[in-house]
Amino acid sequence: MNSKVNWKGLFYGIAYGLASRAVFALEDFRYLRTEGEPLFQTYGLMTMSFMFLVPFVIGLITAYHQDTVTSSRKIAMITMPFYAVVGLIGISVISGKEGIICALMALPVFLFMALLGGLLGVHFFERNRSKAHVSLWLILPFALAPLENHLGLTERIFTEHTTIIINASEQAVWDNITRVSRISETENNGSLFQFMGFPRPIEAELDTVAVGGIRKAIFARGLFFTERVTQMEPQRILAFSIEADPNSIPPKALDEHVLVGGKYFDVLEGRYEIEKINPNQIVLHLSSQFRLSTRFNFYSGLWSKLIMRDIQENILKIIKQRSETYQIKEAANKV
């Protein structure tokens, strides 16, 4: 009997999660209007109400079906919220409603909040199992979403800086950062950002090596960015602003919530700097500046910096490999 109750709580938790996701994804019920205004709004998936409160309530739902807290039920108390979240996210990805990128970014906070809801809920419902209390928790995310919207989005600018030591001359490295010839799939290492579904870099074309020059960075799946050179010192500095038009990005290139140039995320500029150690060795610096506009930049910022660092390190490794190969060939030709 207890086993059935546990699984019942799991299924209810998944069902609540899927229903909540469907409602929040609508953002507003445009077919329900009063005097031209939406009758009810949830303001989307990128809200604290959905990201933090919905998984918390999922944990409470699974806890509601734990009759007592005994040693034999502690495993179920911990695992039911976990399975409910995995089921929710798994179904969302398999059905095509959610991309792998956003699913992986949401998973840690979903798991934490669901487990927290489960642990607190078991003790709470042990004392009071009133259905009225449960109902109040079920509607809490939807009730707080409109209030949350009044706070607005918080914009924050982040900078990510990466370096690599390259055993090559300044000229060899300079040639490989101003124009990046086509990158093969074997050169792209199995990086985190590619595993998460970000398009891999293919090539970069620069029309003129001068301030005002246009550099076109091309990625897989039809994704490209227009970069305008803002600072240029030969064999030392190449800096550029990054212009992304969300309307020109193919629909399947990026998840809508991490769309470059979109409402929540944008990459603003990039900068290469060559630091000479000796005639045949340099340190190449690559930094980027990007914008986040969410209500939980404290969390999304961690993921964004991790992904940007991974992307930059992948690019630096490609430049290192190419520059050092070029240097070896040059040395061999001189002999």
Side-chain angles (χ1 to χ4, degrees):
M1 180 65 180
N2 287 343
S3 172
K4 290 181 180 179
V5 170
N6 286 337
W7 288 113
K8 187 176 181 181
L10 169 65
F11 295 139
Y12 282 162
I14 294 175
Y16 174 81
L18 291 172
S20 298
R21 192 204 177 282
V23 172
F24 272 91
L26 291 173
E27 297 200 20
D28 64 73
F29 294 84
R30 298 189 182 276
Y31 57 90
L32 295 175
R33 290 178 175 270
T34 57
E35 298 180 356
E37 294 297 325
L39 183 63
F40 181 71
Q41 291 182 293
T42 57
Y43 303 98
L45 300 175
M46 294 291 285
T47 56
M48 296 281 286
S49 300
F50 178 75
M51 286 288 294
F52 291 83
L53 288 181
V54 167
F56 181 80
V57 175
I58 289 174
L60 290 175
I61 291 172
T62 62
Y64 181 74
H65 296 276
Q66 304 289 334
D67 296 325
T68 56
V69 185
T70 62
S71 59
S72 63
R73 299 179 66 83
K74 284 181 180 178
I75 294 178
M77 179 179 68
I78 295 173
T79 57
M80 286 302 111
F82 177 88
Y83 290 144
V85 165
V86 171
L88 165 62
I89 292 180
I91 292 172
S92 298
V93 172
I94 292 172
S95 64
K97 298 296 184 182
E98 198 66 74
I100 295 177
I101 299 171
C102 287
L104 290 176
M105 292 174 70
L107 186 60
V109 71
F110 265 55
L111 288 175
F112 175 80
M113 293 305 298
L115 290 173
L116 180 63
L119 292 171
L120 294 178
V122 165
H123 296 284
F124 176 77
F125 292 127
E126 231 187 350
R127 296 190 299 270
N128 189 334
R129 292 180 59 80
S130 168
K131 290 185 179 181
H133 284 89
V134 178
S135 300
L136 289 175
W137 282 108
L138 293 180
I139 65 173
L140 182 65
F142 308 100
L144 292 183
L147 297 176
E148 179 186 345
N149 182 62
H150 288 293
L151 300 176
L153 295 175
T154 302
E155 182 174 300
R156 184 177 174 187
I157 305 299
F158 291 84
T159 299
E160 187 61 31
H161 177 249
T162 49
T163 63
I164 195 168
I165 295 176
I166 302 177
N167 298 310
S169 66
E170 295 161 283
Q171 185 62 52
V173 175
W174 181 255
D175 290 342
N176 278 286
I177 64 175
T178 51
R179 292 182 176 89
V180 182
S181 59
R182 192 169 188 85
I183 302 170
S184 65
E185 289 192 30
T186 55
E187 285 183 287
N188 273 294
N189 300 311
S191 303
L192 172 66
F193 76 93
Q194 293 180 61
F195 171 75
M196 293 180 70
F198 281 90
R200 65 180 182 85
I202 295 180
E203 61 184 325
E205 305 167 347
L206 179 60
D207 60 1
T208 178
V209 187
V211 173
I214 301 299
R215 188 174 187 262
K216 187 176 181 180
I218 302 171
F219 292 75
R221 301 207 293 272
L223 178 66
F224 71 89
F225 302 114
T226 301
E227 304 169 344
R228 188 179 300 276
V229 178
T230 56
Q231 184 179 2
M232 193 279 297
E233 296 180 27
Q235 300 182 27
R236 186 167 176 267
I237 296 174
L238 179 66
F240 43 86
S241 62
I242 301 174
E243 303 166 9
D245 180 6
N247 297 321
S248 68
I249 296 176
K252 295 184 179 180
L254 287 171
D255 190 290
E256 63 174 317
H257 300 122
V258 292
L259 190 65
V260 180
K263 180 179 179 181
Y264 305 108
F265 176 71
D266 194 15
V267 183
L268 305 176
E269 61 182 48
R271 179 185 179 91
Y272 286 102
E273 187 166 351
I274 298 173
E275 178 188 350
K276 185 176 180 179
I277 298 177
N278 59 56
N280 293 307
Q281 191 175 61
I282 64 98
V283 176
L284 180 59
H285 301 258
L286 174 56
S287 58
S288 63
Q289 193 175 84
F290 57 96
R291 168 188 60 82
L292 281 178
S293 301
T294 72
R295 296 184 180 91
F296 40 88
N297 288 337
F298 63 91
Y299 179 74
S300 55
L302 295 174
W303 274 102
S304 299
K305 286 179 70 67
L306 175 65
I307 293 169
M308 290 302 295
R309 171 169 288 274
D310 189 61
I311 291 173
Q312 292 177 195
E313 287 179 345
N314 182 66
I315 293 172
L316 290 177
K317 287 176 183 177
I318 292 171
I319 294 173
K320 173 182 173 69
Q321 181 181 0
R322 290 185 169 189
S323 300
E324 291 180 349
T325 300
Y326 175 84
Q327 190 79 4
I328 292 171
K329 289 181 179 179
E330 284 291 302
N333 290 336
K334 290 179 180 180
V335 175

